[in-house]
Amino acid sequence: MGAAPRTGPEPVDTPDELTPAWLTGALTGALRTHALRASGLDATVSDVWHSAVGTGQMSSCYRLALQYSTGQGPASMIAKLPSPDPQVREGGATTYATEVRFYRDIAQTVAVRAPECYCAVASDDGKSFVLLLEDMAPAEQGDQIAGCSAVEARDAVVNLAGLHGPRWCDESLRAIEGLAPFGAEAAEGMGFGFGMMVEPFIERYGTPEDDAEVLRAFAPRVAPWMLGRPDCFGLVHGDYRLDNLLFATSAGGPPCTAVDWQLVAIGLPARDVGYFIGTGLKAEERAVNERGLVAAYHDALVGYGVHGYSFEQCWDDYRYGLFQGPLIIVLGAMYATRTDRGDEMFAAMTERCCAAIRETDALTLL
C-alpha cells in the first residue's frame, strides 16, 4: 500500500519541527476539520510548547499548547508523529498511511467517536506523517491489565457499532486504497508467522496448559479463519482494546472514544467485538455479561440501518471473532519491543481470551 496522497503541508518527523509557522499553515490549510472551517478560523499561531504523552511503540505522541497572535483555535491538541527509530519507521510506513487515510477519508463517513482531526498528512513513502488531533482531556485511557466494568464495556461496544453500522457491507469500501480484505497469500503469511511464534510465546509467558492448547489448536487454522465468512464485511479497527480507548472521568469528558487507527481494514466486523470483550473483561465478568453486551452491539447496528442480520448470527460471529485475540496477542507480543508492562498485559489478555474461546465452544467454528 502506498502512502496517502499529500494535499496539505509537508510532514515533519520531530515535535521541534512543529513550529508556529508550520502549525499556522496546517490549521488554515485544506485539511482543516469541518468544525474549524465552519468557525471561519483564520488564526496565526505565535507560540507552541510540547510535552510527550503515552508510550507508543510504533509512533510518538505529544501534547501541544498553542497561543495565537490573531484569530482563535484550539488551545491544546495532540500531535502524532513517526517513531524516532528508523527501523520502526521503515516497518510502520504502511500503518502510518492507513491512519492518515482513516482520519482524512473515512472518519467523517462513520459514527464512531474518534478525536477530531485538524490535519492529516503523510510523505510519499509513508515514513513521515503528522496527525493533529483533538485533545480529549480529561478523558482517561483504559487499562488493558486492570480490565473494565460492564458499563464501560457497553459504552465501548455501542461505539464500535458506530464504526461498523454506517458502512455495513458497503462495496464502495473496496475502492479505498489499502483497505482490501486479506487475500490468500497474506492470510497464509499471517498463519505461517503465528505458527512460528506460538511455541516461543508459550515458553516466554509460561502459558498454562489449557490456554496453550487453545493457541496450538488455532495455529494451523489461522489462514482459513482469516479468509472465513467473507459475505459479512465492514470496517474493522483491528486493535480495539482498552489501551486504545478513552473514557470519561468524574471531571468530565466525552463517552468512550477510540484512538490508534493504524490497522483499519475490511473484514468481519465481529472480530472487533470478540477481541474487545474477550480481552477487556475479566473472565467472570465476561461470562455474566457477554450476551448482553453482544445484544447491545446488535441493537446499535439495527439503529444504523443494518437489517437481515439476526442476533443469533451476530452471536455466532462474535464467537468466531474471539480468535482475533490470539492472533493479535501472539504476533504483537513476539514482534514488538518487549517491556515489563507489555509482558503483564499479554499474559492477562491470553488468559481472558482463551477462557472465552473455551467457554463459548468457539473452536468448533473453525
Side-chain angles (χ1 to χ4, degrees):
M1 180 178 66
R6 186 172 67 251
T7 56
E10 289 282 341
V12 298
D13 297 327
T14 68
D16 290 336
E17 296 174 277
L18 296 173
T19 63
W22 193 98
L23 290 162
T24 296
L27 294 177
T28 58
L31 294 179
R32 291 175 302 163
T33 64
H34 174 74
L36 288 177
R37 288 200 305 271
S39 69
L41 175 68
D42 185 14
T44 300
V45 179
S46 57
D47 287 293
V48 59
W49 300 266
H50 64 80
S51 58
V53 294
T55 57
Q57 295 175 323
M58 290 296 294
S59 53
S60 302
C61 289
Y62 302 88
R63 175 169 282 110
L64 307 182
L66 299 94
Q67 286 188 346
Y68 301 86
S69 59
T70 62
Q72 60 181 354
S76 68
M77 62 182 67
I78 300 298
K80 192 167 186 178
L81 301 170
S83 168
D85 185 329
Q87 288 187 315
V88 174
R89 290 174 60 185
E90 183 78 29
T94 297
T95 59
Y96 295 162
T98 295
E99 188 162 30
V100 167
R101 279 196 181 90
F102 171 78
Y103 280 109
R104 193 198 61 198
D105 300 331
I106 299 172
Q108 62 271 27
T109 72
V110 293
V112 66
R113 286 188 297 273
E116 197 80 47
C117 183
Y118 307 133
C119 177
V121 289
S123 61
D124 292 337
D125 62 7
K127 298 175 188 176
S128 297
F129 79 102
V130 179
L131 290 170
L132 298 181
L133 303 171
E134 177 186 6
D135 187 350
M136 304 302 297
E140 292 184 352
Q141 182 183 27
D143 186 336
Q144 193 67 49
I145 296 172
C148 68
S149 68
V151 172
E152 290 171 321
R154 187 183 190 283
D155 189 17
V157 298
V158 170
N159 188 43
L160 192 53
L163 173 66
H164 299 159
R167 304 198 69 172
W168 188 266
C169 293
D170 182 350
E171 289 290 343
S172 70
L173 290 173
R174 303 182 191 276
I176 302 176
E177 185 181 357
L179 284 187
F182 275 95
E185 184 177 352
E188 290 292 339
M190 295 284 277
F192 178 79
F194 187 94
M196 290 287 291
M197 293 298 172
V198 67
E199 289 301 331
F201 176 91
I202 290 169
E203 181 178 355
R204 174 190 289 184
Y205 292 101
T207 306
E209 186 58 29
D210 56 349
D211 295 341
E213 288 178 2
V214 171
L215 301 181
R216 292 183 180 122
F218 180 51
R221 299 173 173 87
V222 169
W225 173 81
M226 293 186 70
L227 298 172
R229 308 198 175 194
D231 294 336
C232 182
F233 68 90
L235 291 164
V236 294
H237 182 282
D239 197 16
Y240 196 86
R241 58 185 174 88
L242 289 170
D243 282 2
N244 290 330
L245 300 177
L246 305 174
F247 292 91
T249 68
S250 58
C256 175
T257 302
V259 297
D260 199 351
W261 294 90
Q262 295 182 342
L263 298 181
V264 176
I266 297 173
L268 180 70
R271 285 167 52 179
D272 280 338
V273 187
Y275 181 57
F276 171 75
I277 296 176
T279 66
L281 286 90
K282 294 180 179 179
E284 58 274 16
E285 188 87 357
R286 174 199 44 80
V288 171
N289 292 286
E290 66 186 332
R291 287 190 72 91
L293 292 171
V294 175
Y297 166 78
H298 181 261
D299 288 346
L301 286 181
V302 173
Y304 288 113
V306 175
H307 301 296
Y309 185 65
S310 68
F311 170 75
E312 290 73 21
Q313 184 179 353
C314 185
W315 173 255
D316 197 59
D317 283 345
Y318 159 74
R319 293 168 60 219
Y320 190 86
L322 285 168
F323 292 97
Q324 181 82 357
L327 181 71
I328 297 298
I329 293 165
V330 170
L331 295 180
M334 301 310 289
Y335 284 107
T337 302
R338 191 174 181 183
T339 65
D340 290 343
R341 185 186 186 279
D343 283 353
E344 186 178 358
M345 179 187 76
F346 288 126
M349 292 173 73
T350 301
E351 177 185 356
R352 293 170 190 169
C353 75
C354 287
I357 288 167
R358 286 193 303 272
E359 292 170 17
T360 60
D361 205 18
L363 280 168
T364 61
L365 301 176
L366 299 182

